[in-house]
Amino acid sequence: MANPSQLGFQDASSPIMEELIEFHDHALMVALMICSLVLYLLTLMLMEKLSSNTVDAQEVELIWTILPAIVLILLALPSLQILYMMDELDEPDLTLKAIGHQWYWSYEYTDFKDLSFDSYMTPTTDLLPGHFRLLEVDHRVTIPMESPIRIIITADDVLHSWTVPTLGVKTDAIPGRLNQTSFITTRPGVFYGQCSEICGANHSFMPIVVESTPLSHFETWSLLLTS
């Protein structure tokens, strides 16, 4: 959950989000070094008189041609690694299907015989103490902690986007198409997200709430809903 006036990312709750934050910090450090070098060279050129060394220097031209290529490689390699990690699906323990509607989400637990529900935003007048306005729902998505989860995402009417920042998940929900992604929660907690694709008048009122619990609690929850 983000805090007021927060400048950085939310605390990571999945290995993918931890990798994304580390890559973000890595890219910022590279950008900082580049800006510092350019500022130093600009200052040097403005403070000193032009000479033949600055007008014609093939060695310098060679360096500023090769150096950006090396920088791009240093950025591309970890980026490609994270992309492959995000697309990898290795024997998930649970498969969840999310269907976007105007303006609510439907969820189906495909590994269970009859476990599905609609998730609507909780009206402000019905909020309990400690719940967040415009972020709380009447039925939360409950998943087991430290278990690979595959989520299949689609839409029933218009474009939506199933997004939970702290899990590092953002996948478009497209009518007539199934998109899939996966994640693992590393700690118990309640994680909030929202539809991130403009989908109509009530786009701001279809939140996503994922509750990560120990496996024993998840089994009890699923038995209560299926019984």
Side-chain angles (χ1 to χ4, degrees), residues 88-218:
E88 185 176 358
L89 293 172
D90 187 16
E91 297 182 0
D93 292 341
L94 179 69
T95 299
L96 176 67
K97 185 177 181 181
I99 306 173
H101 306 271
Q102 288 183 311
W103 287 272
Y104 64 95
W105 293 96
S106 297
Y107 297 99
E108 300 175 4
Y109 289 76
T110 59
D111 298 300
F112 295 84
K113 185 176 180 180
D114 187 18
L115 181 52
S116 62
F117 52 84
D118 296 331
S119 181
Y120 290 87
M121 185 192 74
T122 303
T124 304
T125 55
D126 297 337
L127 288 176
L128 298 176
H131 285 181
F132 298 99
R133 178 179 173 269
L134 302 183
L135 289 177
E136 194 57 59
V137 295
D138 55 356
H139 292 94
R140 294 175 173 178
V141 178
T142 303
I143 57 174
M145 179 182 66
E146 296 180 340
S147 299
I149 308 296
R150 173 175 58 186
I151 178 167
I152 300 173
I153 302 167
T154 187
D156 184 54
D157 36 44
V158 297
L159 291 176
H160 301 279
S161 183
W162 201 85
T163 305
V164 183
T166 188
L167 298 178
V169 176
K170 184 182 184 297
T171 304
D172 289 340
I174 304 172
R177 176 175 177 175
L178 295 177
N179 290 332
Q180 68 175 359
T181 187
S182 63
F183 59 88
I184 301 175
T185 56
T186 55
R187 58 186 174 92
V190 179
F191 314 123
Y192 295 90
Q194 290 177 300
C195 176
S196 297
E197 190 76 39
I198 297 177
C199 55
N202 292 331
H203 158 68
S204 302
F205 307 108
M206 49 184 305
I208 302 162
V209 182
V210 178
E211 184 172 355
S212 174
T213 64
L215 181 59
S216 58
H217 293 186
F218 172 78

Side-chain angles (χ1 to χ4, degrees), residues 11 16 42 48-50 52 128 132 137 139 221 223 226:
D11 293 337
I16 291 296
L42 285 175
E48 294 190 3
K49 296 181 180 180
L50 294 177
S52 59
L128 298 176
F132 298 99
V137 295
H139 292 94
W221 172 83
L223 288 174
T226 54

